[in-house]
Amino acid sequence: MEILAFGVTADEEPLLERAFADRHEIRCLDVFLSEDTAPIAAGYEVVSSSVNADLGGRVLRILAAGGTKMIAQRSTGFNNIDLDEARRLGMTVSRVSSYSPYSVAEFAWTLAMAVNRRIVRASNRTRDFDFRLNGLMGRDMHGRTVGVLGTGRIGEAFTRIAHGFGMNLLGWDVARNEACLELGMKYVEKEELFASSDLISLHVPLLEATHHIVDAAALGLMRDDVILVNSSRGGLIDTDALVAELRAGRFTGVGLDVYEAEAGVFFTDKSLEAVEDDTLARLVTFPNVVVTSHQAYYTADAVGQIIEATVSNVADFLAGRRSENTLVPS
């Protein structure tokens, strides 16, 4: 059987081909799955999608009409998939429920330290042989307070690094993580976490209950010199409200690996085009903001695990099995 994979990066393609070798043929495309590209999948029983794919009802109906019976999404998040429509169409849908939590946790810390120590500004200066220190002063993390919003596997990994820095640990989640408690984490209401933290990192999934969990009210509770990091999902933050706070001169720094309107923008080259998203255009102009393109997961370890899980998901589908990765069974 030949599998069609959308949204495959140049780094990912040889890993996918090697993983499926001796099992199935795989055709890799660098274009993202959307209403315009879905007709390409005609005749493919199994389609693999990336995190920014459009798998709404219209796209699913196009795929089903072309003979697609299974969607194997290569990501943990699945808010881009109309699961109800997939059930109605009788399609199997799977995801990758977990992969290396260290990839995202370590990258979240990379963003935090980049904005804290002004790494991007310093690098840009030294390229012009400007070696002054003015405006580059950061602060120690040791002894300060970190607020971890979401203490699952990734939040726990982030917390362990914070513990290594010697920070005071605050956490918020619907369920407490015993490993975080053993590290000395104090669980508090999210309002107290927002108000009391020097560094806040988001590690909750994007659900109806967490959409814009960091809204204007939450931002208003935060300290003027807070560092805010989001490496989870863009929709957790009300970006317009964040821009308003940044324009008012608040916050030491903001590190964003995700953006709520990133679909169709992230993972693409827009350098020669006019920027249509005024909010994103304004966001990247702030000197205390670092925006990256949803790359926190992008390590050889994590991508390898994602691909291994995808191979297993396809095997489960063909064998009529279910697993923890199965969102919609056939």
Side-chain angles (χ1 to χ4, degrees):
M1 181 179 66
E2 186 175 19
I3 299 165
L4 183 61
F6 285 90
V8 179
T9 68
D11 297 323
E12 187 183 11
E13 183 171 354
L15 300 178
L16 271 169
E17 291 176 343
R18 188 158 55 246
F20 277 101
D22 302 325
R23 292 184 177 92
H24 309 286
E25 294 183 16
I26 185 164
R27 179 186 176 195
C28 296
L29 303 178
D30 61 0
V31 298
F32 297 106
L33 181 54
S34 67
E35 192 172 344
D36 292 330
T37 61
I40 302 172
Y44 288 90
E45 184 178 0
V46 175
V47 167
S48 180
S49 59
S50 57
V51 66
N52 267 1
D54 174 3
L55 283 163
R58 297 184 68 171
V59 172
L60 290 175
R61 288 190 291 272
I62 294 171
L63 294 174
T68 298
K69 297 179 180 178
M70 189 228 184
I71 304 292
Q73 176 135 301
R74 303 187 308 280
S75 73
T76 299
F78 55 91
N79 54 288
N80 60 318
I81 308 173
D82 187 337
L83 299 181
D84 291 334
E85 183 65 9
R87 289 187 187 94
R88 191 189 70 78
L89 294 168
M91 301 177 76
T92 297
V93 180
S94 69
R95 63 161 177 162
V96 177
S97 58
S98 65
Y99 54 85
S100 168
Y102 310 107
S103 60
V104 179
E106 291 171 5
F107 193 84
W109 267 106
T110 300
L111 286 175
M113 296 309 294
V115 296
N116 176 39
R117 302 307 299 268
R118 315 292 195 242
I119 297 300
V120 175
R121 183 185 299 179
S123 178
N124 289 339
R125 280 187 186 180
T126 56
R127 287 176 181 273
D128 293 329
F129 293 92
D130 179 354
F131 298 99
R132 294 172 296 170
L133 297 181
N134 296 335
L136 301 182
M137 184 174 288
R139 59 187 179 184
D140 292 358
M141 288 290 103
H142 179 82
R144 286 190 160 82
T145 298
V146 62
V148 185
L149 202 72
T151 56
R153 295 175 71 246
I154 296 173
E156 179 188 330
F158 184 91
T159 299
R160 290 187 181 280
I161 298 171
H163 182 262
F165 272 103
M167 302 187 75
N168 303 312
L169 309 174
L170 296 181
W172 177 88
D173 208 327
V174 294
R176 298 186 176 192
N177 185 326
E178 289 297 325
C180 291
L181 288 170
E182 291 175 4
L183 292 171
M185 174 171 279
K186 177 184 178 183
Y187 278 87
V188 297
E189 295 298 320
K190 60 180 181 295
E191 290 77 13
E192 181 179 345
L193 184 149
F194 292 144
S196 303
S197 300
D198 299 293
L199 164 63
I200 298 170
S201 191
L202 310 183
H203 300 289
V204 294
L206 180 59
L207 307 168
E208 184 177 351
T210 60
H211 180 256
H212 284 184
I213 194 170
V214 179
D215 56 10
L219 292 165
L221 291 171
M222 295 179 190
R223 297 176 176 178
D224 287 344
D225 62 352
V226 75
I227 294 172
L228 176 63
V229 173
N230 187 9
S231 58
S232 183
R233 288 292 183 267
L236 299 177
I237 297 179
D238 182 340
T239 314
D240 289 332
L242 176 62
V243 168
E245 297 294 336
L246 289 165
R247 290 184 64 183
R250 299 189 66 220
F251 305 159
T252 289
V254 176
L256 302 175
D257 186 50
V258 288
Y259 172 60
E260 60 180 327
E262 70 181 53
V265 178
F266 280 21
F267 307 134
T268 67
D269 182 2
K270 299 289 185 180
S271 61
L272 300 179
E273 301 177 21
V275 179
E276 298 179 357
D277 188 329
D278 292 337
T279 302
L280 179 59
R282 187 71 181 90
L283 192 62
V284 299
T285 64
F286 291 105
N288 59 334
V289 174
V290 173
V291 178
T292 52
S293 54
H294 206 141
Q295 68 182 80
Y297 78 99
Y298 204 56
T299 66
D301 308 84
V303 172
Q305 291 167 16
I306 289 169
I307 290 173
E308 288 175 7
T310 301
V311 172
S312 296
N313 290 342
V314 172
D316 287 340
F317 163 71
L318 294 174
R321 296 187 298 260
R322 300 185 186 185
S323 74
E324 62 179 354
N325 291 334
T326 306
L327 295 171
V328 180
S330 57

